[in-house]
Amino acid sequence: MTDRQYIIGEFSPASDDDLIICRCEEITKGEIRRAVFDGMFNICEVRRLLRCGMGLCQGLTCGRLVKSVIAGEIGLSATALEDATARAPMRPTEMFIFAKEVTDE
Amino acid sequence: MRIINHPILGEAAPRKNITFNFNGEEMTGFSGEPIAAALRANNIIIHRYTRKFHSPRGVFCAIGRCTDCVMIVNGRPNVRTCVTALEEGMTVTTQYGAGGGA
Amino acid sequence: MSFDLMVIGAGPAGLSAAAEAASHGLKVAVFDENALPGGQLFKQIHKFFGSKEHKAKMRGIDIGIELLEETDSLGVKVFLNSPVVGLYKNREIVVRQKETVRHFKADSIIVATGASENLLPFDGWTLPGVMGAGAAQTMMNINRVKPGNRVLMLGSGNVGLVVGFQLLQAGCELVAIADAAPRIGGYGVHASKLTRTGVPFYLSHTIMRAEGRENVTGVVIGQVDENWQHIPDTEKHFEVDTICLAVGLSPSAQLLKMAGCKMSQNGTPVCDKSGETSLYNIFAAGDVSGIEEASSAMIEGRISAAAAAKKLGFISEKSFQKRSGELDAALSELRQGMFAPQNRNAPLEKTDEGFNISKSLLKKGYITEEEISEYPGFKPGAGIRPVIECTQNIPCDPCRDICPKGCIKVENIVSLPVYDENTNCTGCGLCVAACPGQAIFLTDDRPGKVEEGKVAITIPYEFLPLPEKVGPGMAYDRSGAPLCPAYVSKIQESAFLGKTPLVTFVVPKNMAMRARFWKAV
């Protein structure tokens, strides 16, 4: 979903907007919904704006939930949306550890 | 909260009792068990308070994935207590926010 | 450092893959992020379903020990505390070990990273006391600490049912199992084990909110209609300190995605029959390639490993065909029956044999007396005999294999077991203990053995404390309702029973087909 002109109607508040979706960064359903109405139709854009999925757990917990909130607002099934990009490191790793990379094996 | 005898797993194997420090209070646990298990056995279930909403968090996945149970351990913040082994004399502290203020 | 094969994940699929490959002569390394190998196997303290070749009636924990012995004896190198943080299509991995990262290469890679628990957000779901069902399992079965005292389980799939039972075994109170779906998702026999102990099911109910300021002190559930919308004024409140979520699993396929494997829309990698992904010599096995039981994961691991061995020239095409033929046959057996992946959304109405599936079992977690009498395993009569309350087609047959007298017939692996009345049941109780669904009972009214007008009922009893012999107690029916006073006449424990003690209690004869549980008073 990259067509930013796609019209999904007016944002209207919902009773569960205060629900926390991303537990690490404490991003609510309302914030994610608002981002979708602002034209961000995929996980990568939403996470760059809100940081959902970029906390300590790296989206291992909320990835699917964020996806389903976005899909729900656009009116798509969650499987139709791309997952967030998967890239190293897959587990949180401090920078000093990378600095000590063993390369001569 | 300890399961001493279990219908399938049998009696708990003897483990080494050690002391650790939680928020200034001396507590006992078993050497090598996850910090979170020792805390649960001492009826401690709040591990941290979040940065934005200051809400309490505890064990959620127990396998090191969700990072909800992180605490300050021996002065180092963001330690996943569900997969970090308890050691004699460890200092375990409730984490507030990112733990930088400790 | 380089290997013929690297396996990522030391769970059931990964360890099986490693063992299989090493048995064909490959130099194998396994990497796992945890401090102990076994993945989730060591939390699985229940008996597995299936047949002998699927290690049926063994507990996951014992299968885990066996697998580790196998990989050890074959010289598999297992790297623990070694999270794989990167996977590249040239079959190179980056591993974090202590305070450094290292690179490893192999000719072949099997990714067996398993799955993670799905979650469900609701008001209060971040409170301490709300946790995944797997978390509760880790706390009680690995760490040997109760996750809480009073628990509500959300989700009636096999995970919810099995963990629910394990909570009872750990000494916790399970106040209810709720599920938004209109029917119980897991095996009927798993549900029945809970219902007869008094655990209620709330189908078409979901969590409205968790209560508490600093931690969970209660939970409110409410009914939903067929469109999952809340029906007003249907709220039920429970005082609990723990809420467990068992709302499904999702493949942990991020490494495969990162490497560039072609992915399907449901988040699993696109694989061929041997589990090979779109990337040459990179395989996926176990839950990461699609959620199933651990028994299937173990076979998938072996299939991928055999294929890797053939591709690398360690085994001939001919011996590969033979081995993969055996493994494929074992796997397809497990993929039969009404809970098989391909039947996941099919309505449960009739068994393969044409019997009606109990509606009560799907809604309330127990079979009514009218319904149970329909089934072929249920043959009330005089003397001593098994009463088999197995009413859904699940691939499982230990009851047939264990009976020394051949009293129980199971036509094919998913057929409902039948008691053959022309045989001589000796009342050994092996079938009662072997049934992974704990759905077999013995009734005994032999004169001289049991008082006139009474019947002795033998049940599997995996709880502590065991009853006192001749201790006073109460018999309960399938729904968990008290029936009548009952005294215990016999308690059996032996290695043959596989840690499933048998308790025999005595009730009036007219309770023979009703009494299915016993509690002390």
Side-chain angles (χ1 to χ4, degrees), chain C residues 351 355-358 367 371-378 390-391 416:
Chain C
T351 70
F355 299 105
N356 290 315
I357 301 282
S358 161
I367 311 175
E371 290 169 330
I372 190 70
S373 56
E374 277 196 34
Y375 297 97
F378 189 85
C390 175
T391 64
L416 301 186

Side-chain angles (χ1 to χ4, degrees), chain C residues 31 36 54 88 101 138 150 159 173 240 294 301 312 320 336 371 390 405 408 435 446 494 503 513 516:
Chain C
F31 297 85
L36 296 169
H54 315 116
Y88 301 89
V101 292
T138 306
R150 284 172 59 84
V159 173
E173 208 179 321
V240 295
L312 300 180
F320 169 71
Q336 293 177 43
E371 290 169 330
C390 175
K405 296 283 177 185
I408 300 176
C435 174
R446 289 173 296 177
S494 88
V503 167
M513 292 302 138
R516 290 297 176 261

